[in-house]
Amino acid sequence: MNNKIILPQSMEGQTVLVAGAAGFVPSTLCEFYLNLGANVIGIDNFITGSPSNIELLSSYKNFEFHENNIYEKLPSFKDQKIDFILSMASPASPIDFSIIPIEIMRVNSEGTLKLLELARDKKARFLEASTSEVYGDPEIHPQTEDYVGHVNPIGPRSCYDESKRFAEAMTMSFYHKYNVDTRIVRIFNTYGPRMRPNDGRVIPNFITQALRGENLTIYGDGSQTRSYCYSTDLVNAIHNVLMSQDPTPFNCGNPDEYTIKETAELIIKILNSKSGLTFLPLPKDDPKRRRPNIEKLQKISDYEPLVSFEEGIRMTADFFKNSL
Ligand code: UDP
């Protein structure tokens, strides 16, 4: 018997609140739910999100937007029905970690708390967008959800890693203590259109450098690995978890793994670029290997990443060409 999740064909009449709606992944998710007919409420303070992502969503009549800092005070949603609350408001690029560490810790702690209280009040289903960073520099490979991690609590990535671990703990506490209907996704490296070209992460850096004919900057010797998921595949994975009945964490990503050097060489080849490579020092605590084991999600759903690396890089490069 196939007892996998049956995804709804329409979400008409349902209201989805997305915290962090101007971000790259959350805005892609907003559009996905708007296209399923849902009413979507977006919140963002534009600390790292792009106003252009909100402009794009504003063309949908079912989209409502609040410019708001969720860790200070949420807008009042008195008398408003909310069915789903997606907690996606944290800056997530390593370049943000040294610039806005306190804001990152506050949004993942005080911000998540406020969203969970709202979910309790509205009897809404709550989803925490957690991260592969909860595994730190992992000692097991690929990473499974039962691995408890190897995180440096005082390192340069700790503001993000530890506050997301806290957000997961708070989510489970609301589940156990108040029976809030919660879900947790652990998102692995994701890329696609709508990313900031100057985001600092490896794919936007390499694509913009390749398009400009500049050398691609490899940190360390490039032997560290990552596994890249195209944004629409990630949205599909998150939607499957949201529609599941399981409150425990699910890895979401694409398990195809590349070294950083391979990533650079492939991007140069796909974009037919004349760029070379420059080797720079490896940042402290940079995880050596990262690859999601996605069997847990695949046991309960038909999730399969569909977009190849080559296709995804071309579509992302087309987006960046307009903003260079
Ligand atoms: N990286 C790199 N060159 C860049 C940007 C990143 O070699 O211009 C490396 C970085 O050191 C890391 C990997 O690429 O090993 C992925 O970095 P990213 O910032 O995308 O995110 P992370 O997975 O580390 O959170």
Side-chain angles (χ1 to χ4, degrees), residues 92-94 133 157 189 200-203 205-206 209 217-219 224 226 260 282-283 286-287 290:
S93 171
E133 284 289 318
R157 305 171 82 101
N189 294 63
R201 277 180 281 196
V202 65
I203 300 287
N205 271 12
F206 284 1
Q209 289 161 342
T217 49
I218 296 189
Y219 302 160
Q224 71 272 35
R226 293 295 185 272
I260 295 301
L282 187 68
D286 197 287
R290 196 186 277 153

Side-chain angles (χ1 to χ4, degrees), residues 55 95 156 190 230 311:
E55 271 162 41
I95 57 164
T190 301
Y230 189 71
E311 239 181 310

